[in-house]
Amino acid sequence: MKSQTWIRVGCYSLEQKVFPISEINSSLFTHLVYCCADLNSTSYTLSISKSDENYFSTFTETVKQKNPSVTTLLSIGGPYVKYSIFSSMVNNSFYRKSFIDSSITTARRYGYEGIDFYWIDAETASDMSGLSILFEEWRAAITLEARNSSQSELIMTTVVNYSPDAYSFTYPIDSMQNHLNWINVDITEYSIPENLGNFTAAPSALYDPTKIRNTDNGILRWNQAGLSANKLVLSLNYYGFAWKLVNSADNGIGAPANGPAISDDGFMEYNQIKNYIERFKAHVMYNSTYVVNYCTVETAWIAFDDVEAVRAKVSYAKEKGLLGYRAWQVSYDSNWVLSQAAALQGAITISTAHQDGQNKWPHRFLVIILPITVAFMLLLGLVIYFWWMRKLKSKGIDGQEDLKHISGTRLLGTTFKDFTDNFWTRK
């Protein structure tokens, strides 16, 4: 597996055809993911309709026009996949082989440099065991294909729940650590008005003093389970949710609410939120306890990640030693405000860390060298002094006179230069 440095992953969904692929500002990302190919329920090979094939086949070529160095990945599955199909695939060796072979062939055919497995609904012991075997077999097949084709190995990633033990059974940590390039941690929708509509909340809270379902706790649990921090990629959500307040005057986090507002489920893309804010001249607040932005328009209360929250989460990812971040999804952005903020914050954090490392070197150098130098000078002085004393004693009376001459305050007051000059003269 090829090593990665800090990565900036952007996701583009097939459903966003209203936002042309050519409009993606690929210069803001190191990796772009096209989501998502489906899985055939009979053959367990990748399923792409004729009407969508042109989008899949031209994605890499299109985004590389603005950024030739950007790496593309083909995502399989997505947030709305049918559980039974994927569960059957991971639990059957013949289905797994069909899936693996098809994923590699399709990725190569369309010019993708990696494959992303987007299935966060695995929840049974059998599913987790099947995932472990799938990742092992998938990596072996990718390695063999690269050797036979003389091409670089395809990147292999997956999307997982916010915590390794979000369900009853834990993810196959060892297999993920050994066979995947990185793991995208899905931090979406801890609290949304459709499910928890009685009180307002931070949908993707970085911290939450009232609940264990928060991003910081999830990252901690992944690390405790044995997954390296530099294997984890933090999700950034380019959307938010709207609640209907019971009382517009009571509009903080945790305020009483009556379910979703504005849309049926309260879901709003970031660009829609920005337009809403501008239309109603709403005042945006930032809460650093949860790391979330929110605003109130009459009885509608909207929680989302604006520039402040995005910057804080990117800084968090750097401080925790994570591999990078993953934006879902790029078409939801507004004039690339969030993507630019994330990229800039990541660059600032990296630059600062590098500069701090350089600034610490002279200090460390002095801390090490100065004590050694002082100790050497003292040792040299003692050697000279005792050699001189022995020399004086060997001279008898004249030596005693010389000893008196340098004794007491005169000896204490002499400089090191005087001392050494006398030494070499008498020698």
Side-chain angles (χ1 to χ4, degrees):
M1 294 184 293
K2 60 180 179 179
S3 60
Q4 302 288 342
T5 53
W6 178 251
I7 64 173
R8 309 184 306 273
V9 183
C11 298
Y12 176 89
S13 176
L14 177 62
E15 66 187 23
Q16 294 299 308
K17 295 176 183 177
V18 293
F19 185 94
I21 296 172
S22 59
E23 294 297 315
I24 298 174
N25 190 347
S26 54
S27 64
L28 296 171
F29 304 95
T30 59
H31 298 74
L32 284 170
V33 180
Y34 192 21
C35 181
C36 296
D38 207 347
L39 193 58
N40 186 288
S41 60
T42 303
S43 64
Y44 294 94
T45 57
L46 266 61
S47 175
I48 299 174
S49 67
K50 289 293 183 182
S51 60
D52 295 332
E53 187 172 11
N54 183 58
Y55 296 98
F56 281 94
S57 62
T58 60
F59 181 78
T60 297
E61 178 185 359
T62 303
V63 298
K64 282 182 177 288
Q65 290 177 6
K66 292 181 180 178
N67 181 9
S69 65
V70 72
T71 298
T72 59
L73 288 83
L74 173 63
S75 189
I76 304 165
Y80 309 114
V81 298
K82 191 172 182 180
Y83 168 80
S84 60
I85 298 176
F86 276 75
S87 181
S88 296
M89 184 272 291
V90 301
N91 284 290
N92 183 291
S93 60
F94 296 104
Y95 297 163
R96 286 196 304 269
K97 178 170 173 42
S98 295
F99 167 75
I100 291 170
D101 292 345
S102 174
S103 68
I104 295 173
T105 300
T106 304
R108 291 298 193 194
R109 181 191 307 139
Y110 296 144
Y112 293 91
E113 297 152 277
I115 305 171
D116 177 57
F117 187 62
Y118 192 165
W119 186 48
I120 62 172
D121 295 328
E123 56 184 23
T124 67
S126 178
D127 288 342
M128 298 306 180
S129 176
L131 276 178
S132 178
I133 300 171
L134 173 68
F135 294 147
E136 181 179 359
E137 293 175 345
W138 208 349
R139 173 55 64 188
I142 284 175
T143 301
L144 180 61
E145 186 273 340
R147 186 182 303 125
N148 292 337
S149 65
S150 299
Q151 298 185 76
S152 298
E153 282 194 25
L154 291 168
I155 295 170
M156 194 168 80
T157 71
T158 192
V159 182
V160 297
N161 214 303
Y162 88 102
S163 173
D165 49 7
Y167 296 117
S168 300
F169 299 94
T170 303
Y171 280 90
I173 302 297
D174 289 343
S175 182
M176 295 164 68
Q177 177 74 33
N178 294 329
H179 304 305
L180 299 176
N181 289 84
W182 70 76
I183 293 91
N184 303 288
V185 181
D186 185 20
I187 62 169
T188 61
E189 305 175 17
Y190 299 132
S191 301
I192 60 175
E194 191 175 22
N195 299 330
L196 301 170
N198 294 331
F199 300 94
T200 61
S204 56
L206 181 57
Y207 308 105
D208 191 335
T210 67
K211 301 173 184 175
I212 62 170
R213 284 178 59 86
N214 62 79
T215 300
D216 179 57
N217 183 60
I219 295 298
L220 175 63
R221 299 292 283 273
W222 279 110
N223 291 156
Q224 291 175 337
L227 200 60
S228 301
N230 61 6
K231 284 278 188 179
L232 297 173
V233 171
L234 187 73
S235 291
L236 301 178
N237 298 333
Y238 287 6
Y239 62 88
F241 289 90
W243 280 257
K244 185 178 180 180
L245 293 169
V246 172
N247 179 2
S248 59
D250 185 2
N251 54 18
I253 295 176
N258 286 322
I262 302 177
S263 66
D264 291 340
D265 58 1
F267 177 86
M268 296 182 72
E269 299 173 9
Y270 178 72
N271 52 58
Q272 295 174 331
I273 295 172
K274 291 292 285 185
N275 291 336
Y276 202 79
I277 290 169
E278 293 175 7
R279 176 184 172 190
F280 293 98
K281 309 299 181 185
H283 179 61
V284 179
M285 303 290 291
Y286 172 64
N287 184 294
S288 59
T289 301
Y290 295 83
V291 185
V292 66
N293 294 88
Y294 63 90
C295 65
T296 304
V297 177
E298 297 178 346
T299 59
W301 189 88
I302 309 170
F304 63 104
D305 285 359
D306 210 341
V307 170
E308 295 90 344
V310 164
R311 286 173 178 163
K313 289 183 177 181
V314 171
S315 293
Y316 170 89
K318 288 298 299 181
E319 291 166 4
K320 295 296 182 179
L322 307 190
L323 184 61
Y325 60 81
R326 167 183 174 268
W328 180 273
Q329 56 176 302
V330 297
S331 59
Y332 293 165
D333 206 346
S334 176
N335 296 319
W336 303 104
V337 169
L338 297 183
S339 300
Q340 288 174 345
L344 181 59
Q345 188 64 37
I348 291 173
T349 308
I350 293 170
S351 176
T352 302
H354 178 66
Q355 190 175 44
D356 287 346
Q358 288 182 325
N359 290 340
K360 287 176 181 177
W361 167 240
H363 173 71
R364 290 173 179 169
F365 179 81
L366 291 174
V367 168
I368 295 171
I369 296 300
L370 281 179
I372 295 174
T373 303
V374 172
F376 175 76
M377 296 294 286
L378 289 174
L379 181 61
L380 179 61
L382 288 172
V383 170
I384 294 172
Y385 174 76
F386 285 112
W387 187 91
W388 196 4
M389 290 289 290
R390 189 169 62 180
K391 190 79 171 177
L392 291 174
K393 287 182 179 179
S394 66
K395 289 185 177 183
I397 300 299
D398 292 337
Q400 291 295 333
E401 292 298 324
D402 289 337
L403 184 59
K404 290 178 182 179
H405 181 69
I406 64 169
S407 64
T409 56
R410 292 195 62 181
L411 177 59
L412 293 173
T414 191
T415 64
F416 184 79
K417 183 177 184 304
D418 295 334
F419 190 77
T420 53
D421 286 346
N422 289 333
F423 165 71
W424 293 113
T425 302
R426 292 180 179 276
K427 185 178 179 183

